[in-house]
Amino acid sequence: MSRLPQWVGGLGAGLTRFAQRLDERKAQTSGTADASGEAPAPTPADMSASSDTRGSSGTPTSSGAGVPSGTAGAAAGQAPVGGLAVSEHEHVPPPPGYAPSVAPRPDPVAAVPWGVRVAAEVAWRLLILAASLWVLMRMISAVQLVVLAFVAALLITALLQPTVALLRRHGVPRGLATAMTFISGFVIMGLVCWFVVWQVTENLDDLTENVQHGITELKTWLLNSPFHVTEDQINNIADNLSKAIGTNTKDITSAGIEGVTVILEVLTGILLAMFSTLFLLYDGPKIWGWLLKLFPAAARDGVAGAGPRAWATLTAYVRGTVIVALIDAIFIGIGLFFLDVPMAVPLAVFIFLFAFIPLVGAVVSGALAVVVALVTRDMFTATMVLAVVLAVQQIEGHVLQPFILGRAVRVHPLAVVLSVAAGSLMAGIGGAVVAVPLVAVTNTVVGYLRAYARENALRTAAGESLPEAAGQNVPAGSAGPPGEGRG
């Protein structure tokens, strides 16, 4: 019993020291909160004291009475994180100044430059157009004979249709006018072809002798020329040509067989062109009306206006080309006749036919006439033929074509050259013949459709503005259908 007071005294001294330490810790905590501007966190003693005070006064402790202690702590402004109560007013320090700033990723569409997007939009549309054009060209190449025959029929119809219209104006029935024009036109074309073949056949022997004589003179001129060509070199060239012809005998034979096939195809094309021309001359308006029904109703008015203008352009082109070709053939044929060049008339007919190929045909036919004059006559005659051809072509290009064709066919020379080259690559001579009229007709149609669309847009805008102006000018009380409000 003697040690009990000593033990109680030590316990009291320990409790006193523990209380002092609690007071010091509370003072330190309150000082830190005052420096940071935050309220001090309540101690367990304060929480118990406040709960006792509220419980003794009879005031409800909180609106969430009966809630577990953890939830009550959260409602009192604390959130349990990992089992620890963290104050919602806890200070979060800002990031340091050396921390890199990460920009948000932009929209992928917005990241693509505007020019690249426009180029991509245009590119895929061009690819679709190119694919469509490729499919169309493949289809046309599969039926190339039919297409060329029909295009030739269109050109012949454009040439003969004015005659049918003239006969109709003089009271001739449509069937009789069509038959007379069709028979006379093809008879004239057949006679021209027969005359050319007959002249070439009649003068073939003389032409062969003249060619051999010309080759001999050319050999003599080369031996005496300043080019220092020896006779052995000329003989080697002749031997190489003979060997090439001998080794390619099979190719020549196959070419002959293919030539027979080509002749059959040409005859088939001529028959198709004749039948197409006959029906186009007789039932042209009905065929055009049937074609209009194939177009949508919204585009039918524009196509109906573009069709007659395209036909007028084609007719003017064919008629002007025939007149210009006839003048070229006559004047160059007269020059060849007076220069005593063999086969002057067949050469004039060739010049007439090649004139339907713009620019290129004139060069080829003129060069053929010069070569024939050089081989059959001499250098002076060939020079004079070249002068005649150039003079007639200059008159044609600067006087005849602007005066005869006028403004009906407005195609740039570059477009003419490119279209002829493209047509010849795709369909040979037939493609070269129809390339320029196709470009001229396309130019006319596109120009008319553009003007029609512009005029239609202006008409629509004017139609929309008229009701607004009429509504502004109507007096009050008179609105409504006629007959209403007049009692």
Side-chain angles (χ1 to χ4, degrees), residues 375-445:
V375 172
T376 57
R377 294 304 176 195
D378 50 15
M379 182 64 69
F380 176 76
T381 305
T383 305
M384 295 302 297
V385 170
L386 178 62
V388 171
V389 170
L390 291 177
V392 172
Q393 289 181 356
Q394 290 299 315
I395 295 173
E396 168 200 341
H398 294 86
V399 178
L400 295 179
Q401 286 188 353
F403 179 73
I404 295 175
L405 295 179
R407 299 176 61 87
V409 182
R410 292 175 291 180
V411 181
H412 196 273
L414 179 60
V416 172
V417 174
L418 294 179
S419 60
V420 169
S424 61
L425 289 175
M426 290 187 295
I429 297 177
V433 171
V434 303
V436 176
L438 180 61
V439 171
V441 168
T442 304
N443 185 28
T444 302
V445 170

Side-chain angles (χ1 to χ4, degrees), residues 206-218 341-342 367-379 381-382:
D206 296 336
L207 182 63
T208 304
E209 294 179 359
N210 291 327
V211 167
Q212 292 177 354
H213 179 69
I215 291 174
T216 303
E217 290 185 352
L218 180 62
V341 177
L368 179 63
V370 172
V371 169
V372 171
L374 177 63
V375 172
T376 57
R377 294 304 176 195
D378 50 15
M379 182 64 69
T381 305

Side-chain angles (χ1 to χ4, degrees), residues 272-350:
L272 286 175
M274 291 176 64
F275 280 105
S276 301
T277 303
L278 179 62
F279 288 108
L280 288 174
L281 287 174
Y282 185 74
D283 281 335
K286 293 182 180 179
I287 296 174
W288 173 241
W290 176 79
L291 287 176
L292 281 178
K293 295 179 181 179
L294 299 179
F295 289 92
R300 198 169 295 166
D301 293 338
V303 176
R309 288 165 177 80
W311 183 253
T313 300
L314 183 62
T315 304
Y317 173 82
V318 174
R319 188 185 307 170
T321 304
V322 168
I323 295 174
V324 171
L326 186 61
I327 294 174
D328 288 351
I330 290 174
F331 282 97
I332 295 178
I334 291 174
L336 295 175
F337 177 76
F338 281 107
L339 290 173
D340 199 16
V341 177
M343 297 192 306
V345 177
L347 287 175
V349 175
F350 276 114

